[in-house]
Amino acid sequence: MPVTMSQAFIDNFLGNSPKWFKIAILLFLVINPIIFYINPFVAGWLLVVEFIFTLAMALKCYPLQPGGLLAIEAVIIGMTSPSQVLHEIEANLEVLLLLIFMVAGIYFMKQLLLFVFTKMITKIRSKIVVSLMFCIASAFLSAFLDALTVIAVIIAVAVGFYSIYHKVASGKTFSDDHDHTSDHHGEGHSLCQDELEAFRGFLRNLLMHAGIGTALGGVCTMVGEPQNLIIAAQANWQFGEFAIRMSPVTVPVFFAGIATCFLVEKFAIFGYGQQLPDAVHKILVDYSTHEDAHRTNHDKIKLVIQAFVGVWLIAGLALHLASVGLIGLSVIIFTTAFNGVTNEHQLGKAFEEALPFTALLAVFFAVVAVIIDQQLFAPVIHWALSYQGNTQLVIFYIANGLLSMVSDNVFVGTVYINEVKAALLDGQITRDQFDLLAVAINTGTNLPSVATPNGQAAFLFLLTSAIAPLIRLSYGRMVWMALPYTIVLSIVGVLAIETGYLSDMTQYFYDSHLLIHHSAAEAAKGVIGAH
């Protein structure tokens, strides 16, 4: 029978997505204007829930299309304005540049990354030790680099491992051109379905440990997450002071996170404890041996160049020599110029991974614009400010955490610190209480937000990356695997804030500043007296 126009429309709409999902999105588009006419505040929260639903269905349909339709409709019916959306995008330009250039830069360093991590996997057979190394390394790097940069590195490594397996399992052999998806045929290995599933589980474990590691390290310093920079600017804290002020919370949380990593692997709970199959380990060992034996001087100098660029990357970001995106652009230029990548099509491949997510993030900022214009968070902020002392700190921590689970932690942190700064300027709170609230806001947006992929940009990037469907990493599975970390990090964080140790640290800083200012004044008097 010929297909009717209505059937053709439904078939084409959102492509191969489930029919019920297509109907749900169309239903959202119909009811949103009606609800907005009745109650704009309810309609705003409904839009947030709908957008989260599109994120949860990321493996069935990329969220850009359904989420984008919802965002465009929100602008059309007046929930926000195009100028407000543009303002949010402009305010987050550094994050967009980071995605466009830094992720592409990492693509051109994948040979070095694959070399280092392959050695790690092949030399260390203990899954617990490997998991701890991935978690700790991610935490360390995230303290100096942006979490998105770190997770892009780990994704590149995981894709490299999977490509090696896929080539061999498809009956191909290792070629000496370092193209891990080449069509060089020959005698290969074959893996059974159980081994494939175990390998997928192994990669899922490492990626989740690394993702949690970015949160553990990202909360510690002012460069770890974008909202940290905003909070540090409002509080007028420098790198060292920020790290020390956060330490009463971040230090116990870090050790609790590492302990959780050990325990979930030791007892193989929440989807962890998947071992690397012996057949896959043999493939990786054979690959490493083959690469070592066939590595030419051209290949070796490429690794050396990438290592030097890696040093520049860490130094440039740690010393804030330029914005993260511009440093990423310099990484692209250095690695391609000195490694002979000068073809436009070769360059284009590096941008394929990040640009869809960059477009999705721009849509997300449209939803953030709705949150601002409809003042969805205002009641929570006013309620939290009505409390005093440590209770106020705990409420801010919990409120930030809960809102960061369903929204973007950068936005939540920005809104809260601006409101608290306004309260300080109005005389509603003291400077000491402001400093404590700044710590509560920073840790609240960074730690409980690991609960969901939409809470942290690094997690969302992982969920929508090319590796996620290959290793069966869905939204629900990420939430489940993050659950033990969410519980432990949230509880340890709130206990650290509630105990009052934070107040003691603030008093220590207050006394230290008085001592520094007093010593400076005495020194100035001495200089004047000498003259």
Side-chain angles (χ1 to χ4, degrees), residues 130-190:
V130 171
S131 299
L132 289 172
M133 289 179 68
F134 266 73
C135 191
I136 293 171
S138 297
F140 174 77
L141 290 173
S142 294
F144 297 97
L145 314 180
D146 186 87
L148 278 170
T149 304
V150 177
I151 206 66
V153 170
I154 304 300
I155 289 173
V157 170
V159 169
F161 285 157
Y162 197 88
S163 298
I164 293 167
Y165 145 75
H166 185 267
K167 182 168 65 174
V168 175
S170 300
K172 304 169 186 175
T173 60
F174 308 121
S175 62
D176 57 2
D177 58 5
H178 299 282
D179 178 8
H180 307 306
T181 58
S182 72
D183 293 322
H184 184 71
H185 290 265
E187 183 183 357
H189 305 258
S190 61

Side-chain angles (χ1 to χ4, degrees), residues 12-88:
N12 289 341
F13 180 65
L14 300 182
N16 295 323
S17 305
K19 189 173 182 179
W20 65 265
F21 178 75
K22 300 180 182 184
I23 295 172
I25 297 300
L26 291 174
L27 187 62
F28 293 159
L29 294 171
V30 171
I31 65 173
N32 283 352
I34 300 172
I35 301 297
F36 181 67
Y37 178 77
I38 298 171
N39 190 319
F41 185 82
V42 173
W45 273 110
L46 181 61
L47 178 72
V48 172
V49 172
E50 291 168 353
F51 188 73
I52 293 171
F53 170 72
T54 66
L55 297 176
M57 292 294 295
L59 297 186
K60 297 293 184 181
C61 176
Y62 194 71
L64 175 64
Q65 289 78 20
L69 290 173
L70 294 171
I72 291 171
E73 183 187 63
V75 173
I76 292 173
I77 64 178
M79 296 178 78
T80 187
S81 64
S83 60
Q84 184 65 41
V85 176
L86 180 61
H87 173 73
E88 289 303 312

Side-chain angles (χ1 to χ4, degrees), residues 177-506:
D177 58 5
H178 299 282
D179 178 8
H180 307 306
T181 58
S182 72
D183 293 322
H184 184 71
H185 290 265
E187 183 183 357
H189 305 258
S190 61
L191 298 184
C192 67
Q193 190 63 28
D194 290 342
E195 289 170 336
L196 171 58
E197 289 304 319
F199 182 42
R200 285 171 171 162
F202 177 81
L203 291 179
R204 281 197 303 269
N205 289 178
L206 294 187
L207 283 167
M208 286 302 296
H209 289 315
I212 297 295
T214 64
L216 293 175
V219 68
C220 295
T221 66
M222 62 184 286
V223 298
E225 294 281 354
Q227 72 268 24
N228 300 19
L229 279 169
I230 297 168
I231 291 170
Q234 292 287 4
N236 197 28
W237 293 342
Q238 299 304 313
F239 189 92
E241 183 176 354
F242 184 97
I244 296 175
R245 281 191 181 275
M246 295 297 159
S247 62
V249 181
T250 57
V251 171
V253 162
F254 173 79
F255 286 107
I258 297 303
T260 305
C261 177
F262 174 82
L263 291 174
V264 295
E265 285 293 338
K266 177 71 174 177
F267 296 102
I269 53 178
F270 292 94
Y272 293 100
Q274 293 283 348
Q275 299 297 320
L276 181 65
D278 290 336
V280 181
H281 181 259
K282 184 178 186 307
I283 288 174
L284 295 178
V285 170
D286 289 347
Y287 165 80
S288 180
T289 303
H290 176 274
E291 291 292 284
D292 290 343
H294 292 79
R295 188 169 290 114
T296 65
N297 286 337
H298 285 95
D299 298 325
K300 291 175 182 177
I301 199 64
K302 285 182 180 180
L303 293 178
V304 172
I305 293 296
Q306 290 173 30
F308 275 116
V309 174
V311 172
W312 150 245
L313 173 64
I314 295 175
L317 290 170
L319 299 174
H320 316 302
L321 300 180
S323 72
V324 179
L326 295 181
I327 292 176
L329 179 58
S330 72
V331 168
I332 295 174
I333 294 170
F334 286 142
T335 51
T336 55
F338 289 98
N339 284 341
V341 181
T342 56
N343 185 285
E344 182 181 356
H345 296 292
Q346 289 178 289
L347 291 170
K349 292 179 181 178
F351 293 90
E352 291 177 359
E353 178 74 15
L355 285 183
F357 184 75
T358 306
L360 173 62
L361 206 59
V363 171
F364 187 82
F365 292 140
V367 178
V368 169
V370 172
I371 293 174
I372 293 174
D373 284 349
Q374 302 304 319
Q375 298 184 327
L376 302 186
F377 289 175
V380 180
I381 294 171
H382 294 149
W383 169 71
L385 281 174
S386 66
Y387 288 86
Q388 301 295 325
N390 278 1
T391 303
Q392 187 185 71
L393 299 180
V394 171
I395 288 174
F396 262 84
Y397 177 88
I398 294 173
N400 274 268
L402 292 175
L403 289 174
S404 293
M405 291 179 188
V406 300
S407 182
D408 175 51
N409 57 4
V410 178
F411 164 72
V412 174
T414 302
V415 170
Y416 269 83
I417 197 64
N418 287 337
E419 291 288 337
V420 171
K421 186 65 175 289
L424 172 65
L425 296 176
D426 291 342
Q428 298 178 34
I429 58 175
T430 64
R431 172 67 202 200
D432 284 350
Q433 190 68 6
F434 171 82
D435 290 337
L436 294 173
L437 286 170
V439 176
I441 291 169
N442 186 68
T443 53
T445 55
N446 277 290
L447 299 175
S449 58
V450 302
T452 63
N454 42 289
Q456 296 224 4
F459 277 42
L460 186 59
F461 184 56
L462 173 58
L463 177 67
T464 57
S465 68
I467 192 64
L470 296 178
I471 61 174
R472 307 296 187 265
L473 186 60
S474 64
Y475 188 101
R477 180 169 264 164
M478 284 188 76
V479 171
W480 174 248
M481 295 180 74
L483 183 59
Y485 285 106
T486 304
I487 295 171
V488 172
L489 302 189
S490 299
I491 291 175
V492 173
V494 79
L495 288 176
I497 288 175
E498 200 275 335
T499 54
Y501 178 43
L502 204 55
S503 301
D504 296 338
M505 182 63 75
T506 297

